Each structure stands twice: as C-alpha cells, then as structure tokens.
C-alpha cells in the first residue's frame, strides 16, 4: 500500500487541534518530523491536570514548564500563520486562596515572554489568540499590545482573554479585521486608542471589558459587533456606518447612542434605557429585545417599520414591577410589519395580563403576521386559551404557531391546551415544545 | 442537462479493476476531475470515463456518499438534517479499517471531491489524536527510520508532549 502523498499528510496533521499530538508525531519518522514543521498553526493549552502536576511536589520535577514547551513547538515551524496559546477553561475555577500568586509561569500576556518568540515568527502570522491565567495576570499590567502592534504587520485576527492591557505604545494595525477582547481590564477609557489603531476592523467582540467610562466605537468598516458591558459606564456610543449585525448587552447606561444606518440584525439586552438616541433604522429586519421595562424601551424606540422578525422578552419578570404593562397591540403599533413574532415567558405574561384587563384590540397590522413562537406561562388555562383564540381571530394570516410550555406545567392541562388549540384552528401548523430558564428550547 | 423527455443524463465510469458504474450526471459532477473534463470537452462522446486510480470498492463508497449528501442538501437546511449528515459520515468512517480509509482518501483526492476529502482527513486526525507513536506508525504504514540516538534526541526535545495523560495504546 502506497503511503499518502505529503500534501495530504500535512493536511491531516493540520487538523490535529492540539499541538501536543503534533509534537508526538515528530517521533514517528524523519519524514513525519519534517512534515510536522509544515503545519502552519500551533495550538497549545495548559490543561488542569498539567497545572496540578506542575504544582504538586511529587510530580513537578518531571513536568516541563508550559512556556518552555510552547517555545519548543514554535521554534522550528517554517511559516506560522496561526497561534493559539492559553490555559484551559477549567482553570478558571481555581480560587485565589489556593494559589501562591507570585509565580508567573502561566502569565502568558507577559511582554517579556511574548518577546521571546513573537518577533521571530511574526512575518506570516495572521491569527493570534492568547487566553491568559487570570490569577497571574489580573494584577500585572501588560504591554503586550504595544509589542504585537509593532511587529505583527500582517495580523488579521487578534484575540486576548483574561488580562490587564495597557494601550501605551499601541501602533496602528491596519490589516487587523477581527478583534476579540474577553474579560479584559483595558486602560483606554473611551476606546480612543482602539478606534485609532484598528481602523479596518470588520468584527469587534468586547465581552466583559472593564475600565471603560464613556466608550465610543467609531469604526467605518465594522460589520459585526458583540458588546457585553458588565458595569455601568456613563454612556455607550456606536458610530459604524457599515454595521449590519449588533449584539449589545448592558445594564443601565445613562445614554445610548447608535448611529448605524445599515443595521439589519439587532439583539439588545438592557435593563433600562433612559437616553436612547438612535437615527432611524431603515434596514433593520431582525430585532431581539430583552429588557426589564418593555414599556419605556418601546416608548423611545424609533419607528420599527422595517422589522420583519421580532423576538421580545422581559428580564426579571417574576418580580412584580410597578411599570405599565405592554399589550400585544402596543407592540404592533411600534412594529407594524412584523411577519414572525417570538414572545419570551415574561413578554407573554405581560401581554396576557393586558388582555385579561381589556381584551385584544383589533389592529390591521396583525394581519401581516404569519408565525408566532410563544413561551407560555399558564396561571389559568381558560385565560390563556381565550388569549390564544383572540390572537388567532385577529391574525388572519397566521400559518405557523409554536407553543412552548414549562416542564412544571400540569401534563393534563397541557394536553387539554394542545387539543383545544388544534381543534379551534386546525389549518394552522401547530408545533409544541418545552422551555426552561437557561437552556435551549426543545 | 436533461433531455426533452426529462430523463436525467447518465455517465459511465470505469474503475481500475475494469468495472463499469453508471451514475446520474449530478453525482458525477460532484467529482472535480469529471466536472473539469466535461467543462473542457462539452461535446465529449458517450464513452465511459476511465478512472485508473480508483478501485470498484472505493468508487461504490464514494458514489453512495455523494448520493446521500446531494439528498441532504436538497432538504431545507435545518439542524436535524445536519445531524443526519454527520451521523451518516460517522457511520461511513467507522465501517472503514485503516487501510480502506487510506484508499478512499487517495481516491477522493484523485477525483477531487473537496467535501468528502475534508471530512475524511478530519476523521484520520481524530483517529490518531492522543495515540501512541507506534499506533501512528502502523496507521500510516511508516517505518521508523531514526537511529536509537536520533530517536532519543528528538524524544528529549519533545519530552513535554509525553508528560501528563498517557496516550491510549490501540
């Protein structure tokens, strides 16, 4: 049997996601050793077991330091285009008390460590990802951004996690199109340096980035953005004329300014939005809203005539809030052209509540609706049923209805609900399922 | 394309062991080499196309794969169809021993069927993941050409990769 040709072998070796396997292949034969150095990507993660062995007195003499292992891997590769180094997610559970935190053997965003290998191999590097060990990195400010920006001219994707980053000496990186910062303490209060030095970004992910005060994103080429803000900065501004997709999760910013005319897919999760300033969304088609006060958010939301697919839910709906409740008609006043509607349990309860008090006003706009997905919370099956019937009567073009029940619901009541609905409007395509907090719908 | 009577055009392929397979044009066009051949020779005669590097056993596996995946793609893309396709691929790979897996890879490479080749290459990578050096040698059919001293030196340089969890011996 002939051996596989070299290009195929390299292709296979490139698919070994853990470079530890790749290193072992070097012992197989001289040819495989040679070919292993053709593999353009290095992925090395410190597992929990390796970490524990390096700390335990019996085994630590036999464990090569992680940084040395990485250096060995990187040294002989001919043209590296992707590097991924980090600590396993399992190490996140280690508490500060268990650790002697003077060590820096897993401090990976240490500019001194990165300087040992990056300048030599950065010529063809297109992708770099460093997931640091929070216990060793959170109290050490790293200058690694300055280093990366000065030598990696061709870098296109950069991902940094669990670190404290300084932006001093950050040089422009005009080829960078993807930037991900996750659990980072960033010394760039208003994101000025980020905007200035990464002008070509297409994708920006800021997850749990702290140290921001009045952050403004000003990126002309940005197409997709994910921003989750855990603390409450004073204001959030996004100026991105080409932005198409935005996922924004924040708590109570004093002001929220969005200048994103091409936005078509928007997922907004906000407890309360006071000063929400938005130029009209002419291109918005998909909107997903999660908020604690739907009423006030709808009040300041600009006209949503373009939205075809709408998902709405209320956060913390189990708490009784004094805020006014939103009925289904009010939703259609703001979003008259919705074709597909998805109501989370909080939104459903609010709407059902309003219906109970005053029925469902007929709206011409509901006739456009063809599909509904609803997460039901059943207090009184008769009320729920009459609400559903009322919706069916008003939404004459409805062809698809999916009702999801919580597993806690009485199963007899559930089957009675199912059979009565299907009898009432058999020409609708009914789908049934379950929903539960924190997990995906079934 | 289809003739006036709506009958799908068939293409004949002849394998290395002289067996002939008649397949729908759509399936044959999944083979990059066949497609290129027809693009460059639109008036090609109805002669069977010779595939001297492919055995009949391989070709029938490949034809089944292409037929199934064409059918999967014809469905609306939904997660359940994706799961079905994945399960089909897993079963196909499981049914191959190391030798036949290599044969199919060589055939898919020769016929230039990118999707299948990617899937098979990934399957091989998954098979040698976390395995001993001996296992990898046996799988690729490679002889150890290191002298004992050379081997010891390479081993010392990469010692870190052998620490920690011991790879399974298979």
């Amino acid at each position: 049997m002939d051996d596989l040709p070299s290009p195929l072998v390299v292709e296979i070796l490139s698919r070994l996601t853990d470079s530890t396997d790749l290193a072992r292949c070097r012992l197989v034969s001289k040819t495989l050793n040679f070919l292993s150095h053709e593999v353009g990507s290095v992925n090395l993660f410190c597992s929990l077991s390796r970490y524990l062995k390096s700390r335990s007195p019996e085994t630590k003499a036999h464990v090569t330091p992680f940084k040395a292992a990485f250096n060995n891997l990187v040294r002989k590769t001919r043209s590296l285009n992707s590097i991924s180094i980090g600590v396993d997610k399992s190490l996140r559970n280690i508490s500060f008390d268990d650790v002697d935190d003077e060590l820096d053997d897993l401090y990976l965003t240490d500019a001194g460590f990165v300087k040992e290998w990056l300048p030599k191999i950065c010529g063809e590097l297109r992708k770099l990802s460093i997931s640091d060990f929070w216990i060793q990195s959170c109290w050490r400010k790293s200058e690694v951004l300055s280093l990366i920006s000065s030598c990696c001219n061709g870098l296109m994707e950069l991902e940094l996690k669990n670190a404290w980053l300084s932006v001093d000496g950050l040089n422009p990186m005009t080829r960078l199109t993807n930037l991900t910062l996750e659990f980072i303490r960033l010394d760039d209060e208003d994101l000025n340096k980020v905007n200035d030095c990464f002008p070509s970004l297409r994708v920006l992910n800021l997850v749990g980035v702290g140290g921001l005060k009045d952050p403004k994103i000003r990126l002309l080429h940005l197409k997709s953005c994910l921003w989750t803000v855990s603390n409450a900065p004073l204001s959030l501004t996004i100026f991105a004329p080409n932005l198409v997709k935005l996922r924004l999760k924040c708590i109570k910013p004093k002001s929220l300014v969005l200048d994103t005319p091409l936005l078509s897919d928007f997922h907004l999760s906000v407890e309360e939005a006071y000063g929400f300033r938005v130029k009209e969304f002419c291109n918005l088609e998909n909107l997903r809203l999660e908020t604690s006060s739907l009423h006030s958010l709808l009040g300041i939301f600009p006209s949503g005539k373009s939205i075809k697919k709408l998902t709405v839910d209320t956060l913390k709906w189990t708490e009784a809030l004094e805020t006014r409740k939103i009925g289904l008609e009010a939703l259609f006043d703001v979003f008259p052209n919705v074709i597909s509607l998805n109501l989370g349990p909080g939104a459903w309860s609010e709407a059902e509540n309003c219906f109970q008090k005053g029925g469902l006003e007929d709206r011409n706009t509901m006739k456009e609706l063809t599909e509904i997905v609803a997460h039901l919370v059943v207090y009184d099956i008769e009320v729920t049923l009459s609400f559903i019937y009322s919706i069916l009567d008003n939404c004459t073009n409805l062809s698809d209805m999916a009702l999801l029940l919580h597993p806690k619901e009485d199963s007899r009541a559930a089957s009675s609900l199912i059979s009565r609905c299907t009898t009432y409007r058999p020409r609708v395509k009914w789908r049934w399922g379950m929903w539960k907090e924190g997990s995906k719908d079934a | 394309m289809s003739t006036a009577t709506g009958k799908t055009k068939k293409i004949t392929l002849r394998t290395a062991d002289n067996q002939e397979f008649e397949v729908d044009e759509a399936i044959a066009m999944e083979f990059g080499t066949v497609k290129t051949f027809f693009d460059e020779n639109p008036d090609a005669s109805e002669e069977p196309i010779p595939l001297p590097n492919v055995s009949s056993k391989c070709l029938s596996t490949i034809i089944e794969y292409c037929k199934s995946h064409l059918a999967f793609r014809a469905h609306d893309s939904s997660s359940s169809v994706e799961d079905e396709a994945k399960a089909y691929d897993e079963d196909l790979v499981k049914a191959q021993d190391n030798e036949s897996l290599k044969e199919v890879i060589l055939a898919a490479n020769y016929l230039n069927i990118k999707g299948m080749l990617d899937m098979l290459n990934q399957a091989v990578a998954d098979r040698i993941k976390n395995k001993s050096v001996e296992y990898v040698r046996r799988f690729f059919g490679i002889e150890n050409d290191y002298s004992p001293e050379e081997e010891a030196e390479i081993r010392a340089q990469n010692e870190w990769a052998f620490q920690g969890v011991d790879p399974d011996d298979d």
Side-chain angles (χ1 to χ4, degrees):
Chain A
M1 182 63 226
D2 294 337
D3 277 358
L4 295 174
S6 303
L8 277 183
V9 175
V10 174
E11 179 59 41
I12 290 170
L13 292 178
S14 303
R15 286 167 185 275
L16 291 169
T17 47
D18 186 347
S19 297
T20 317
D21 289 315
L22 190 65
R24 277 204 295 272
C25 283
R26 295 187 183 167
L27 243 83
V28 167
S29 74
K30 291 185 186 168
T31 320
L32 221 62
N33 185 12
F34 179 83
L35 291 178
S36 78
H37 295 292
E38 298 285 312
V39 171
S41 79
V42 163
N43 303 303
L44 197 64
F45 279 76
C46 182
S47 66
L48 184 60
S49 77
R50 173 170 226 110
Y51 171 78
L52 293 171
K53 284 205 181 148
S54 70
R55 297 292 187 270
S56 138
E58 303 96 49
T59 44
K60 67 176 175 187
H62 303 292
V63 175
T64 314
F66 183 72
K67 289 185 181 179
F70 178 79
N71 266 317
N72 160 276
L73 252 184
V74 152
R75 215 183 331 124
K76 284 200 228 150
T77 308
R78 270 177 271 286
S79 56
L80 262 179
N81 54 52
S82 163
I83 290 181
S84 200
I85 177 178
V87 300
D88 238 18
K89 286 201 182 114
S90 50
L91 272 90
R92 255 195 245 164
N93 299 328
I94 298 177
S95 95
F96 280 79
D97 307 320
D98 299 335
V99 168
D100 168 9
D101 51 22
E102 291 298 309
L103 290 174
D104 66 353
D105 60 326
L106 288 174
Y107 173 37
L108 303 174
T109 48
D110 174 13
F113 163 62
V114 176
K115 212 188 285 202
E116 286 169 22
W117 45 270
L118 190 62
K120 295 187 204 134
I121 49 89
C122 54
E124 311 227 349
L125 199 63
R126 296 290 169 261
K127 184 168 166 196
L128 175 62
S129 165
I130 306 181
S131 297
D132 214 339
F133 186 31
W134 184 240
I135 289 180
Q136 291 183 1
S137 65
C138 65
W139 55 280
R140 293 170 159 125
K141 184 152 73 159
S142 164
E143 312 289 328
V144 77
L145 273 179
S146 166
L147 176 61
I148 294 173
S149 64
S150 61
C151 62
C152 297
N153 297 314
L155 199 67
M156 294 177 66
E157 286 183 44
L158 178 60
E159 180 179 78
L160 297 167
K161 297 186 186 181
N162 315 320
W164 176 9
L165 300 175
S166 152
V167 291
D168 288 342
L170 178 58
N171 297 315
M173 293 184 75
T174 49
R175 299 250 183 97
L176 201 73
T177 57
N178 285 40
L179 178 65
T180 298
L181 299 176
E182 236 181 76
F183 304 119
I184 296 282
R185 181 173 156 190
L186 191 65
D187 283 358
D188 189 9
E189 271 182 0
D190 298 337
L191 291 179
N192 285 329
K193 273 283 191 155
V194 168
N195 287 313
D196 290 339
C197 295
F198 304 125
S200 315
L201 284 185
R202 300 278 187 283
V203 176
L204 177 62
N205 300 319
L206 300 171
V207 177
V209 176
L212 303 180
K213 211 170 80 187
D214 279 303
K216 294 178 187 60
I217 292 179
R218 270 180 291 112
L219 292 166
L220 298 179
H221 301 279
L222 197 65
K223 295 220 107 142
S224 167
C225 181
L226 161 64
W227 197 358
T228 70
V229 194
S230 44
N231 63 345
L234 297 175
S235 69
L236 291 174
T237 306
I238 301 181
F239 171 72
N242 281 301
L243 194 67
V244 166
K245 185 169 167 182
L246 175 62
R247 162 94 168 90
L248 179 59
K249 182 170 170 181
C250 45
I251 305 176
K252 285 187 209 178
K254 292 227 163 51
S255 119
L256 182 58
V257 177
L258 293 179
D259 189 345
T260 51
L262 292 185
L263 195 63
S264 120
D265 198 328
F266 187 15
H267 179 170
L268 174 63
S269 179
V270 61
E271 266 185 45
E272 278 185 56
Y274 303 113
F276 189 23
R277 217 168 72 222
V278 143
K279 306 213 174 130
E280 180 145 352
F281 287 130
C282 318
N283 291 292
L284 195 58
E285 278 191 19
N286 277 6
L287 176 63
R288 187 170 160 167
L289 291 175
E290 283 155 13
T291 175
S292 292
S293 67
L294 197 52
H295 170 246
S296 50
L297 184 62
L298 286 185
I300 47 185
F301 212 90
S303 161
K305 292 205 194 81
S306 55
I307 291 157
K308 301 221 162 62
K309 187 163 171 206
L310 177 66
T311 303
V312 173
D313 200 11
T314 340
L315 305 167
K316 298 183 185 167
W317 56 276
T318 43
E319 298 164 15
L321 295 167
E322 277 312 305
T323 53
R324 232 186 72 187
K325 302 290 186 186
I326 286 287
L328 214 51
E329 318 91 312
L331 219 56
F332 281 94
D333 285 339
V334 181
F335 306 114
N337 295 319
V338 169
I339 294 179
S340 165
L341 176 65
N342 184 321
L343 293 169
W348 175 268
S349 299
E350 255 194 65
E352 194 183 272
N353 228 315
C354 279
F355 168 74
Q356 214 182 348
K357 297 204 180 102
L360 191 63
E361 280 171 44
D362 193 3
R363 286 277 195 282
N364 230 350
T365 52
M366 291 194 215
K367 315 253 186 270
E368 306 276 341
L369 196 60
T370 58
E371 185 191 3
I372 294 182
V373 175
H375 299 70
L376 302 183
V377 183
V378 183
Y379 294 116
D380 179 336
I381 193 171
E382 294 306 323
V383 173
T384 305
L385 266 174
S386 58
F387 186 33
I388 295 177
Y389 293 160
S390 198
I391 293 174
L392 289 167
D393 291 338
N394 273 309
C395 303
T396 47
N397 274 319
L398 195 65
S399 60
D400 242 277
M401 188 140 181
L403 298 178
L404 298 143
L405 294 152
H406 198 270
K408 273 202 234 122
E409 304 290 352
D410 178 48
S411 57
R412 259 187 321 133
S415 22
S416 151
L417 184 76
I418 293 172
S419 60
R420 285 170 73 178
C421 286
T422 24
T423 325
Y424 190 82
R425 194 56 54 86
R427 66 175 167 79
V428 164
K429 179 171 153 205
W430 293 95
R431 284 180 292 143
W432 302 94
M434 304 271 222
W435 68 269
K436 212 160 73 171
E437 294 88 347
S439 55
K440 236 186 136 194
D441 297 339
Chain B
M1 292 321 294
S2 314
T3 62
T5 56
K7 214 175 70 165
T8 41
K9 185 167 166 206
K10 301 271 193 196
I11 292 181
T12 313
L13 307 163
R14 191 194 293 135
T15 63
D17 43 342
N18 257 319
Q19 276 213 45
E20 291 196 354
F21 286 76
E22 204 187 52
V23 294
D24 286 347
E25 186 179 22
I27 296 190
M29 286 309 186
E30 292 286 294
F31 304 177
T33 35
V34 172
K35 183 168 189 305
T36 316
F37 175 77
F38 277 108
D39 284 344
E40 290 168 0
N41 304 287
D43 306 315
S45 64
E46 307 272 316
E47 291 282 305
I49 299 179
L51 305 173
N53 290 349
V54 185
S55 72
S56 53
K57 181 169 144 227
C58 274
L59 189 60
S60 62
T61 308
I62 289 175
I63 289 173
E64 279 311 307
Y65 174 91
C66 292
K67 245 194 241 174
S68 310
H69 274 258
L70 269 171
F72 290 133
R73 265 179 280 159
H75 278 89
D76 285 324
S77 62
S78 72
S79 60
S80 62
V81 173
E82 276 181 43
D83 292 338
E84 265 189 75
K86 260 185 88 177
Y88 175 86
D89 290 347
E90 280 172 20
D91 287 341
L92 186 147
V93 168
K94 242 189 265 180
Q96 313 289 323
D97 62 21
N98 290 346
E99 276 304 310
S100 25
L101 193 55
K102 269 192 284 181
E103 258 197 77
V104 180
I105 288 178
L106 285 169
N109 188 37
Y110 171 73
L111 293 171
N112 195 5
I113 311 171
K114 182 163 186 347
M116 187 177 195
L117 189 57
D118 286 345
M119 185 275 288
L120 292 170
N121 283 336
Q122 184 63 48
V124 172
D126 293 339
R127 262 197 204 182
I128 62 175
K129 226 180 268 214
N130 223 21
K131 293 289 199 296
S132 69
V133 173
E134 257 315 302
Y135 182 92
V136 179
R137 278 185 192 136
R138 273 182 279 134
F139 179 92
F140 283 107
I142 298 179
E143 289 283 319
N144 178 8
D145 54 352
Y146 284 119
S147 74
E149 297 83 28
E150 288 169 331
E151 185 166 348
E153 192 190 330
I154 301 276
R155 168 99 194 197
Q157 284 175 14
N158 294 290
E159 183 58 46
W160 61 270
F162 294 89
Q163 297 158 355
V165 184
D166 288 325
D168 295 320
D169 233 335
D170 219 56

